[in-house]
Amino acid sequence: MRRTFFALMLGLAPGATAWADAESDAALQLDQSIQVLKDEALQFNRDAQLVEEEFSYPPQTRVDVYVSVETAALLMRTISVSIDGSTPVNFDYSDFDARALLKSRGMQRIGRFNVSKGSHKLHAEYVGQYADAKDGEPELADRIDTVFDKTLLPATLELIVGKANRGGKPILRLKEWRPAP
């Protein structure tokens, strides 16, 4: 009704409104078809990434390294992780990322590695600062050099930034997550 009114106001013939309606319906169908194709392309991309990750990091060699922060108000600045002297994987935190990690009390994956079965050396170091630190206060930092054993199952390692005993500076410690038997 409204479209007919506007067509008459513009001096269009009544047949023109039918043509405009048909064109509008065709455009809507085309838009819906394009959206379906976009959704299918996104799903295909997700599936392809999963297959690529499974191929690149098979379970028998895969090691995932995560970081979590247990120290209240400690904002991460950087973290660096390497296994067996490999090129380190570095992550630089924006203020937003550091606050999100702290607020969620979650873990963030820092890297995924391929290693063989057996003992391996992990080196990690972090730099951070308390949220309420004054200008000029030194940043906090720690490093860990430790050994972990890789089995034929995927390995998950968590680097925990937590308080040292007796209120010292935050230290890094390693927790190995093992699948339930």
Side-chain angles (χ1 to χ4, degrees), residues 67-69 71-80 91-95 97-99 101-102 124-134 136-143 161-163 169-172:
V67 66
S68 65
V69 179
T71 304
L74 178 69
L75 301 176
M76 297 289 287
R77 297 290 179 231
T78 64
I79 190 158
S80 174
F91 189 85
D92 296 324
Y93 288 87
S94 67
D95 192 55
D97 291 335
R99 289 180 188 282
L101 182 63
L102 191 61
E125 49 191 67
Y126 86 93
V127 175
Q129 194 159 31
Y130 287 114
D132 61 354
K134 308 280 188 268
E137 278 188 46
E139 293 182 315
L140 302 166
D142 194 33
R143 63 187 322 155
V161 180
K163 280 276 192 196
K169 72 175 186 165
I171 61 168
L172 270 176

Side-chain angles (χ1 to χ4, degrees), residues 166-179:
R166 301 186 193 145
K169 72 175 186 165
I171 61 168
L172 270 176
R173 66 180 193 279
L174 179 69
K175 179 178 183 176
E176 293 185 53
W177 291 86
R178 299 281 180 188

Side-chain angles (χ1 to χ4, degrees), residues 102-178:
L102 191 61
K103 182 178 181 181
S104 68
R105 297 274 190 230
M107 295 190 306
Q108 177 195 9
R109 187 170 76 185
I110 299 300
R112 180 168 270 182
F113 301 85
N114 278 317
V115 299
S116 60
K117 180 181 174 188
S119 292
H120 298 276
K121 294 178 184 177
L122 178 128
H123 171 81
E125 49 191 67
Y126 86 93
V127 175
Q129 194 159 31
Y130 287 114
D132 61 354
K134 308 280 188 268
D135 285 339
E137 278 188 46
E139 293 182 315
L140 302 166
D142 194 33
R143 63 187 322 155
I144 186 172
D145 289 293
T146 189
V147 175
F148 70 94
D149 289 318
K150 171 71 174 90
T151 66
L152 291 178
L153 296 173
T156 303
L157 307 174
E158 179 184 2
L159 292 165
I160 303 168
V161 180
K163 280 276 192 196
N165 292 335
R166 301 186 193 145
K169 72 175 186 165
I171 61 168
L172 270 176
R173 66 180 193 279
L174 179 69
K175 179 178 183 176
E176 293 185 53
W177 291 86
R178 299 281 180 188

